[in-house]
Amino acid sequence: MTRTLRALPTLLKIGIAEAIAYRAEMLVWVLSTTMPFVMWVMWSAVAQVSPVVGQSGRAYGSAAFSAYFLCTFMVRQIVASWASWEMNFEVRQGTLAMRLLRPIHPVISYAMGHLAALPLRFAVATPVAVALVLTAAAELPHDPRIWALWVPCMVGAWLVAFFSNIAVGTLCFFMESSLKVMEVWLACLMVFSGYLIPLDLFPPALRVVAELLPFRYQIGLPVEVMTGRYAFAEAARLVAIQWAWAAGLIVLSFALWRTGVKRFQAYGG
Amino acid sequence: MISVRGLKKHYRVHKRAPGLRAAVKSLFKREYTTVPAVDGIDFEIKPGERVGFLGPNGAGKTTTLKVLSGLLYPSEGEVRVDGHLPQKREVAFLSKIMLVMGQKQQLLWDLPPADTFELNRAIYDVPRDEMKKRLGNLVELLAIGDVIQKPTRQLSLGERMKCELAAALVHGPKVLFLDEPTIGLDVSMQVVMREFIRTYNEQFGATLILTSHYMDDVAALCPRVIVIDKGRLSYDGGLAELVQRVRPEKRVAFRLSAAVPLAQLEALGKVVRHDAAEAVLQVPMDQVNTVVGKALASLPVKDLTVENPPLEEVMSELFSRSRADAAGKGRAA
């Protein structure tokens, strides 16, 4: 374990070098997450016609939608995960073999690759954060405890996103390809995470379903915490549930990995 | 160092006929067959040995290497490498071995090989001073000083393979599995790679298992060969003994000062090649002296050499005999 910890800075350094090797491509990829902007424009137009009131009784005007979707863009940038696609590709091509030969768990090397992309993603998120403060500061919480809680909430969101990708990715050991499963997962993420519509605007029955699923803990919860949707105690309760999901997904991912890797056939070569 | 007992590796493979109908049918009912890639093999390899795995395509050589390196779980049997069960993939085991696959790469495609070396240094926890010394040695032996700073994608195949080998060795593995390490390389680069592999084995006493379709690789590097065919071990011993067993004959090549009629050559042995200036005969091992004596007495010989038949031919004959045996058994059944 200490050996792995010693290797992490180098893994991160090399990962960053890899992430920025194709500068233009990386930037285009990062900027391709435009859906929150589309939804921002759409919901702002709706709010101008008539005020939108959520289940909580909160009224959403243009400024509230601005804050919500700018935060959604930032959260999505930071918690983005592509591990499932990487795993499917590497298992089908047999190139996972090169990761398996190294004395470091492949899940850790995938995680380092994701963390290495963060500096560039933060760089893209920063101007959006500035725009958020300039245009919708009134929508943001003023309780410093909420902002202190936002940090573990973002870490929890990253863990939920990354390990749900790993869990779905490991299914390719059992079913040849799990990309279609990932597409279904993504479709659910779009609907139930609050990525396209704030969960507060969901019909009550659908909202109950959304609250029982892990998707909201990946995007919706950090955005709601950032936009002052909850008092500290409620936010802390939800972050605790989020971390429970993260822990469950970590356990599930490693259990699936342990069983699945025995079925790896190392095609090619 | 390596002990393999009753190793079996069977794959379950989805099988279906071509066409849309079969594709739709397979959606509801899948048919699987079990392919015995390795079907019960045993061998032992001592520390520092260089062993060549030979066999036709699909014989089970690469599967065996993958089991030995911990990539595949054996279906049956026990494999130990320096006391470790490879499939457990313990850190101590992975730090001692490396598998180099000519058709797979570990070099980071968009970064210079120097970055992969640094990554491996960190992962294998090699002290920086030791790394500097070791890498200096590898760079010198492989003559890659001027390429390790270029992005991997811009290197030629030969440069890339040399860097692959360097990347595989920065942690000083005690056991090296080489699967077609010279594939696609030109003849001079193959020689460089062979020399390097031999030097590494001699300097560090590393155990080496090699598979290659280039028989020159095996002949140059491996005093011992293990022949695997259809997942079974069909020979384990010296390369020279194998050649003798399969082709107990020698090739006698003559350079001639004048043309000789074919009939005159046929009286001495089986004619392999014949033109005005040269003739090659294949003769049984125990008749070489007699044939040479007769040839020198009756032919206008300028020069003469006695050699083994080419290894490619020997192997080709061995594998075609094995296929013929299998076909015979199939018909009998």
Side-chain angles (χ1 to χ4, degrees):
Chain A
M1 194 58 183
T2 48
R3 181 184 170 133
T4 301
L5 289 175
R6 272 203 300 274
L8 292 186
T10 307
L11 256 74
L12 211 52
K13 208 170 64 187
I14 301 286
I16 292 171
E18 242 191 321
I20 58 179
Y22 285 110
R23 291 166 298 177
E25 189 200 61
M26 180 73 184
L27 198 63
V28 169
W29 182 44
V30 167
L31 289 173
S32 65
T33 320
T34 51
M35 189 54 88
F37 295 127
V38 174
M39 299 316 290
W40 173 24
V41 171
M42 201 188 89
W43 282 104
S44 295
V46 172
Q48 276 170 5
V49 175
S50 67
V52 181
V53 181
Q55 294 294 322
S56 62
R58 180 180 176 173
Y60 286 80
S62 291
F65 280 124
S66 296
Y68 187 90
F69 286 110
L70 289 176
C71 290
T72 303
F73 177 83
M74 286 190 286
V75 170
R76 179 80 170 123
Q77 283 303 324
I78 293 162
V79 305
S81 179
W82 51 94
S84 185
W85 285 270
E86 258 184 312
M87 285 184 63
N88 269 276
F89 177 80
E90 291 181 5
V91 169
R92 285 162 71 91
Q93 297 292 315
T95 48
L96 181 69
M98 301 323 293
R99 285 189 200 267
L100 290 172
L101 285 170
R102 289 177 166 155
I104 193 163
H105 200 291
V107 172
I108 292 176
S109 66
Y110 286 125
M112 288 299 114
H114 281 58
L115 293 177
L118 280 182
L120 194 67
R121 289 180 170 272
F122 273 121
V124 171
T126 303
V128 178
V130 172
L132 173 70
V133 171
L134 291 178
T135 61
E139 301 292 326
L140 304 178
H142 301 292
D143 183 350
R145 292 177 308 158
I146 291 281
W147 286 108
L149 191 64
W150 179 72
V151 176
C153 182
M154 283 304 292
V155 176
W158 187 89
L159 290 172
V160 170
F162 178 72
F163 280 100
S164 55
N165 251 267
I166 293 286
V168 175
T170 52
L171 297 179
C172 69
F173 287 126
F174 303 91
M175 51 195 291
E176 292 170 16
S177 167
S178 61
L179 287 178
K180 294 292 172 200
V181 179
M182 197 62 219
E183 281 175 24
V184 173
W185 181 277
L186 268 184
C188 295
L189 178 76
M190 296 287 154
V191 176
F192 293 112
S193 68
Y195 185 60
L196 302 178
I197 309 165
L199 293 187
D200 197 21
L201 303 184
F202 273 33
L206 205 58
R207 200 171 132 192
V208 169
V209 174
E211 282 173 2
L212 290 173
L213 297 171
F215 307 106
R216 69 170 302 202
Y217 299 102
Q218 187 173 325
I219 295 177
L221 180 63
V223 171
E224 287 163 356
V225 170
M226 284 173 90
T227 50
R229 165 95 169 72
Y230 303 112
F232 178 76
E234 177 62 1
R237 187 185 71 83
L238 290 168
V239 170
I241 297 173
Q242 178 198 47
W243 274 80
W245 269 109
L249 284 165
I250 291 170
V251 171
L252 177 68
S253 296
F254 280 102
L256 284 170
W257 179 278
R258 254 196 312 278
T259 317
V261 79
K262 293 178 185 171
R263 303 166 68 106
F264 178 55
Q265 302 208 345
Y267 296 120
Chain B
M1 175 60 79
I2 296 175
S3 162
V4 174
R5 304 217 168 279
L7 172 65
K8 288 187 182 180
K9 178 65 192 176
H10 294 179
Y11 292 114
R12 190 165 170 255
V13 181
H14 170 217
K15 193 177 105 177
R16 76 162 175 84
L20 182 63
R21 194 175 160 176
V24 173
K25 194 181 156 199
S26 81
L27 209 55
F28 299 98
K29 192 184 174 195
R30 293 218 155 188
E31 282 179 29
Y32 289 93
T33 49
T34 301
V35 177
V38 177
D39 203 19
I41 62 173
D42 304 80
F43 60 84
E44 302 275 334
I45 294 176
K46 294 193 194 83
E49 260 196 286
R50 296 192 304 262
V51 179
F53 276 5
L54 295 176
N57 285 335
K61 310 180 297 289
T62 301
T63 300
T64 306
L65 281 194
K66 285 175 179 171
V67 172
L68 289 174
S69 56
L71 288 180
L72 296 178
Y73 274 66
S75 306
E76 265 183 52
E78 192 188 77
V79 173
R80 288 205 174 260
V81 176
D82 202 19
H84 300 274
L85 287 173
Q87 68 267 30
K88 282 192 169 178
R89 280 208 297 279
E90 296 154 324
V91 169
F93 166 72
L94 293 172
S95 302
K96 287 178 190 172
I97 65 132
M98 184 40 88
L99 168 65
V100 178
M101 291 185 271
Q103 303 193 57
K104 294 265 186 299
Q105 63 166 48
Q106 67 158 317
L107 293 174
L108 300 164
W109 187 246
D110 297 317
L111 301 182
D115 281 337
T116 306
F117 301 157
E118 174 57 13
L119 181 70
N120 282 4
R121 184 205 62 74
I123 288 174
Y124 289 99
D125 205 19
V126 182
R128 285 188 188 277
D129 288 348
E130 201 179 322
M131 172 72 176
K132 202 174 165 189
K133 211 163 63 183
R134 203 175 278 171
L135 191 59
N137 190 25
L138 290 169
V139 166
E140 193 190 323
L141 278 171
L142 287 162
I144 50 173
D146 54 343
V147 301
I148 61 171
Q149 305 292 344
K150 291 185 201 169
T152 300
R153 63 174 185 270
Q154 291 175 358
L155 303 182
S156 70
L157 178 62
E159 290 170 339
R160 215 165 65 215
M161 274 316 294
K162 289 201 283 186
C163 292
E164 276 291 335
L165 211 47
L169 299 178
V170 290
H171 65 289
K174 284 169 73 180
V175 183
L176 194 54
F177 303 109
L178 299 165
D179 186 24
E180 308 277 358
T182 57
I183 195 160
L185 300 183
D186 65 38
V187 177
S188 64
M189 195 58 73
Q190 287 176 25
V191 172
V192 170
M193 295 289 272
R194 273 179 219 138
E195 278 311 306
F196 173 76
I197 291 165
R198 180 199 290 277
T199 307
Y200 183 80
N201 162 264
E202 287 170 356
Q203 274 187 0
F204 301 100
T207 309
L208 200 147
I209 302 185
L210 168 85
T211 75
S212 180
H213 282 111
Y214 298 121
M215 291 302 157
D216 289 345
D217 285 350
V218 180
L221 287 171
C222 305
R224 175 181 167 195
V225 294
I226 290 177
V227 180
I228 301 175
D229 195 9
K230 295 187 180 63
R232 291 178 177 276
L233 195 150
S234 63
Y235 176 82
D236 182 356
L239 184 58
E241 290 82 354
L242 175 67
V243 172
Q244 267 185 33
R245 187 200 280 194
V246 179
R247 276 272 182 95
E249 290 153 337
K250 289 274 183 186
R251 292 258 166 116
V252 186
F254 305 101
R255 281 183 58 214
L256 305 166
S257 55
V260 174
L262 181 62
Q264 197 177 346
L265 290 167
E266 282 174 339
L268 295 171
K270 183 182 170 192
V271 179
V272 177
R273 204 165 56 242
H274 170 225
D275 59 35
E278 193 187 39
V280 179
L281 300 181
Q282 190 159 298
V283 294
M285 198 97 66
D286 55 354
Q287 291 176 26
V288 171
N289 288 345
T290 318
V291 169
V292 167
K294 280 185 188 169
L296 288 173
S298 60
L299 302 177
V301 175
K302 276 204 307 195
D303 191 14
L304 173 153
T305 54
V306 179
E307 34 189 62
N308 282 321
L311 206 47
E312 271 80 5
E313 276 185 27
V314 176
M315 290 304 135
S316 166
E317 186 169 328
L318 177 70
F319 302 149
S320 58
R321 273 189 211 171
S322 151
R323 276 190 290 272
D325 288 351
K329 278 178 196 160
R331 275 194 298 275

